[in-house]
Amino acid sequence: MDANLKDFILMLADNNMILGQRLGEWCGHGPVLEQDIALTNIALDLIGEARTYYQYLAEKEGKAEDDYPMLRSERAFKNVLLVEQPNGHWGQTIVRQFLFDCWHYFHLEAMVESKDATLAAIAEKSIKEARYHLTFSGEWMIRLGDGTEESHEKMQASLNDLMPFFDEMFDPASYEVACINQQISPDLSSIHSKAIAKVQSVVSEATLDLPTDYFARKGGKTGLHSEYLGHILSEMQYLQRAYPGATW
Amino acid sequence: MSPNYSLEANFQNRIDNEEKIEPRDWMPDAYRKTLVRQISQHAHSEIVGMLPEGNWISRAPSLRRKLALLAKIQDEAGHGLYLYSAAETLGTSRSEMIDLLHAGKAKYSSIFNYPALSWADMGTIGWLVDGAAIVNQVALTRTSFGPYSRAMVRICKEESFHQRQGFDILYTMSQGTEAQKEMVQDAVNRWWWPSLMMFGPTDKDSPNSAQSVKWKIKRLSNDELRQKFIDMTVPQAAVLGVTLPDPNIKFNEKTGHYDFGEINWEEFYQVIAGNGPCNKERLAARIKAHEAGQWVRDAATAYAEKQQQKKSISVA
Ligand SMILES: [Fe+2]
Ligand SMILES: [Fe+2]
């Protein structure tokens, strides 16, 4: 398989995988039972989508789907830094989710047109879920931003903390540039304009201020991660690493 | 004849005729109280029960197993929701019930005070704990209170799926490496006796049971349910190739049931009293989630009120 295409697929897969893994930490600990269920739903969707990408790679490379999430090390993961950020409180999780959903939804919308038929089919299938995620996180942005004074402050602080991780999603890595040239990946600048427009409208309805003066963080897409990822992987990969070759 | 007497007689009559009691029907206060206690206890068990399995979501060994575990725990949250709603029809709100749990005044199933120590525990909880829950809940589909009975019908379908899923985890491991087989045996050793305790004290030590049976809240006694569970489970253990940690389990030709050894009731009462291995952690986790969520619930309420105001202004 073409190395650029493989890295591109891994990026798509790892983004969903790591965020799904993070959301799984909430299961049983949510602020209200209904929201516990809703967040677990999103985790299920994201890990489900990640799984279809890993299956695609596995089929092409004659490997097993679990080899990719379970047996690669930190530097081989291509997810953006945003998704590996800790859950923090419910508001931080919502802001992280909303920023991700703004990329995820518009990216999938464009991926439906991908020249890679398998990726286009995955996008077709996943976009309904991503639309629901964006609605969910957007509504919670507004509810908490325009809720109480305390919730407003918490949301503003979370947005200030997480906005620096937004731009990486739209800044093409070299393998993405190659895939853009082959029309496998969409052009990221048009996705960025749609995503930022959505961010602006929701943030303003939430009575929050969108930070503009920040230093954009990046590195995850090329395997240069925060210290958080190693801990995520050491939990996620524990059984596969401790008992090599076992079937579960 | 006092009017109260005829109400009670009429109520018992309806029960004897297998009619379902609905929330708006007249019912004795004690019936209502017993039900609120039992249904809320059941709801709390679903919610606290999410914690031991939640402990393994991040470490599930494959994506397939991770998705199945997440979905299973999510089902339990859904069971909690139906049950809280069923109890709310009797006039007690979900938040009152949750406050009682957090104050240590409401109970939940003692089983969830045991730790989930290996991946085999995910299989064993599904197989034994959901298995025991099914036996209990299938009987409760015929309970006299309509909303409770209907909640049980919905829940039972999912519980049997959970049990099969748990069995499948164990079966896969039992076909695997020596280390995996050891994990399975160890998990079964730890969960077997606590699973039997899920049915509660023996009938002779369970004073509430007789009245509950008369009101058809309970359709079978603790000992009858426990026996059903053992009869169902022993042959399944043979398929898995595990040894149940009770040398006295033996099929009794005369009774047609499996005999079994003495349950350690001292352990049961200690766990109920709060001295199980994880009582403190379980309750602390629930309280922490609830307290950390307070600002979220407050904000959601404040936002909804603002929206309501905007609506009434625009209508005016
Ligand atoms: Fe359940
Ligand atoms: Fe269950």
Side-chain angles (χ1 to χ4, degrees):
Chain A
M1 174 179 251
D2 174 67
N4 289 318
L5 177 58
K6 179 179 174 179
D7 284 349
F8 178 59
I9 298 171
L10 280 173
M11 183 269 288
L12 299 175
D14 294 343
N15 274 349
N16 284 285
M17 183 68 236
I18 299 301
L19 187 54
Q21 177 77 4
R22 275 294 192 213
L23 294 178
E25 295 169 22
W26 270 106
C27 185
H29 306 276
V32 200
L33 208 39
E34 285 84 346
Q35 304 318 323
D36 202 305
I37 291 173
L39 215 60
T40 302
N41 249 333
I42 299 179
L44 283 166
D45 289 344
L46 296 179
I47 299 171
E49 187 186 334
R51 195 178 173 200
T52 58
Y53 296 122
Y54 293 136
Q55 283 168 345
Y56 180 25
L57 288 172
E59 202 173 296
K60 288 270 176 199
E61 298 196 310
K63 288 187 174 184
E65 62 179 65
D66 287 321
D67 291 351
Y68 300 94
M70 298 298 182
L71 298 175
R72 281 178 305 142
S73 297
E74 289 89 324
R75 296 297 303 274
F77 273 73
K78 301 271 184 287
N79 60 278
V80 293
L81 296 175
L82 177 70
V83 297
E84 65 199 48
Q85 298 307 305
N87 285 343
H89 56 60
W90 176 258
Q92 283 163 294
T93 292
I94 289 296
V95 172
R96 186 186 63 196
Q97 190 63 40
F98 173 68
L99 296 178
F100 176 79
D101 292 339
C102 284
W103 167 79
H104 191 209
Y105 173 70
F106 292 111
H107 195 266
L108 283 175
E109 189 184 58
M111 281 300 291
V112 170
E113 309 288 329
S114 172
K115 283 271 178 349
D116 185 296
T118 307
L119 293 180
I122 295 174
E124 188 87 54
K125 195 187 151 287
S126 307
I127 193 157
K128 281 183 237 82
E129 297 166 355
R131 185 182 299 124
Y132 161 76
H133 304 164
L134 181 57
T135 305
F136 173 86
S137 60
E139 283 173 359
W140 274 100
M141 287 289 293
I142 294 165
R143 198 172 283 135
L144 296 176
D146 191 18
T148 61
E149 209 172 303
E150 183 189 6
S151 73
H152 179 88
E153 270 171 32
K154 281 192 151 81
M155 293 304 277
Q156 187 63 60
S158 305
L159 191 58
N160 296 348
D161 284 346
L162 289 166
M163 204 54 203
F165 297 101
F166 183 69
D167 299 59
E168 185 185 11
M169 297 186 283
F170 308 94
D171 183 24
S174 63
Y175 54 82
E176 263 176 310
V177 173
C179 288
I180 291 167
N181 292 336
Q182 297 170 67
Q183 292 174 292
I184 291 170
S185 161
D187 169 42
L188 293 184
S189 59
S190 68
I191 294 169
H192 180 258
S193 13
K194 288 181 190 171
I196 197 73
K198 179 73 182 172
V199 170
Q200 278 161 346
S201 92
V202 168
V203 163
S204 104
E205 201 180 337
T207 70
L208 298 166
D209 294 320
L210 187 64
T212 46
D213 186 23
Y214 57 80
F215 178 78
R217 306 280 303 274
K218 55 185 156 189
K221 274 183 172 181
T222 53
L224 204 54
H225 293 277
S226 65
E227 289 180 348
Y228 298 120
L229 187 69
H231 293 281
I232 294 174
L233 297 187
S234 55
E235 278 192 34
M236 187 164 95
Q237 301 181 339
Y238 152 64
L239 282 167
Q240 291 275 357
R241 299 278 197 186
Y243 302 94
T247 304
W248 303 92
Chain B
M1 197 186 281
S2 78
N4 226 20
Y5 174 78
S6 63
L7 279 172
E8 288 224 32
N10 180 42
F11 176 80
Q12 189 60 50
N13 239 334
R14 293 186 58 198
I15 298 226
D16 294 342
N17 291 331
E18 294 292 324
E19 274 179 54
K20 293 280 178 246
I21 306 301
E22 294 302 328
R24 289 164 172 280
D25 297 345
W26 185 89
M27 62 186 81
D29 281 346
Y31 178 85
R32 183 185 301 273
K33 255 180 136 169
T34 304
L35 272 169
V36 171
R37 196 187 60 228
Q38 184 173 332
I39 301 173
S40 67
Q41 237 176 63
H42 195 160
H44 298 329
S45 301
E46 301 284 354
I47 302 309
V48 177
M50 295 168 74
L51 298 171
E53 290 178 290
N55 183 39
W56 278 91
I57 293 170
S58 67
R59 291 177 291 172
S62 67
L63 296 188
R64 182 169 83 93
R65 294 293 187 202
K66 192 189 291 287
L67 288 168
L69 182 62
L70 269 167
K72 193 244 185 206
I73 302 172
Q74 188 189 36
D75 285 347
E76 307 300 1
H79 299 170
L81 268 187
Y82 308 154
L83 286 162
Y84 283 127
S85 309
E88 281 188 314
T89 65
L90 290 160
T92 308
S93 73
R94 196 205 301 185
S95 71
E96 285 173 82
M97 292 182 261
I98 288 176
D99 287 345
L100 285 173
L101 172 71
H102 294 170
K105 288 181 184 149
K107 301 236 177 287
Y108 55 86
S109 180
S110 59
I111 192 85
F112 301 117
N113 292 313
Y114 289 85
L117 300 177
S118 83
W119 177 251
D121 290 42
M122 296 303 97
T124 310
I125 291 175
W127 177 43
L128 296 179
V129 177
D130 286 79
I134 291 167
V135 171
N136 198 15
Q137 291 172 359
V138 165
L140 284 170
T141 58
R142 297 188 299 124
T143 194
S144 58
F145 185 55
Y148 194 22
S149 141
R150 290 188 288 274
M152 284 301 112
V153 173
R154 272 178 91 170
I155 288 174
C156 275
K157 288 195 195 109
E158 291 178 351
E159 299 293 11
S160 15
F161 185 71
H162 298 166
Q163 200 218 5
R164 279 202 298 277
Q165 196 168 282
F167 188 85
D168 184 66
I169 289 175
L170 293 180
Y171 187 77
T172 306
M173 291 177 77
S174 75
Q175 306 296 106
T177 64
E178 277 314 305
Q180 287 177 302
K181 288 177 195 166
E182 272 171 37
M183 262 184 239
V184 170
Q185 184 62 56
D186 173 61
V188 171
N189 290 347
R190 285 182 286 108
W191 289 93
W192 173 252
W193 289 107
S195 303
L196 298 189
M197 295 176 198
M198 282 174 74
F199 299 97
T202 53
D203 296 348
K204 65 176 170 31
D205 297 321
S206 181
N208 283 331
S209 272
Q211 183 58 53
S212 283
V213 169
K214 187 168 174 236
W215 277 334
K216 296 187 181 170
I217 294 175
K218 262 183 100 85
R219 303 301 306 240
L220 295 169
S221 77
N222 294 355
D223 287 336
E224 285 170 317
L225 291 165
R226 189 165 14 245
Q227 188 66 58
K228 258 182 186 289
F229 172 69
I230 292 169
D231 291 346
M232 172 182 105
T233 309
V234 173
Q236 296 172 353
V239 176
L240 291 175
V242 290
T243 310
L244 295 171
D246 177 359
N248 295 313
I249 289 182
K250 205 173 148 241
F251 191 72
N252 183 327
E253 298 285 350
K254 259 197 285 183
T255 60
H257 296 290
Y258 285 92
D259 292 338
F260 57 98
E262 187 60 33
I263 291 170
N264 181 353
W265 291 112
E266 174 57 19
E267 175 180 326
F268 173 74
Y269 288 113
Q270 283 300 335
V271 177
I272 294 281
N275 300 320
C278 297
N279 293 59
K280 289 203 174 66
E281 289 88 339
R282 298 296 184 237
L283 205 55
R286 288 311 315 155
I287 292 170
K288 187 176 170 220
H290 190 72
E291 287 176 352
Q294 188 63 50
W295 71 272
V296 178
R297 295 189 298 276
D298 291 346
T301 310
Y303 178 77
E305 277 166 9
K306 282 187 208 175
Q307 292 308 104
Q308 199 55 43
Q309 268 169 17
K310 274 185 203 160
K311 226 194 251 164
S312 53
I313 289 167
S314 69
V315 168

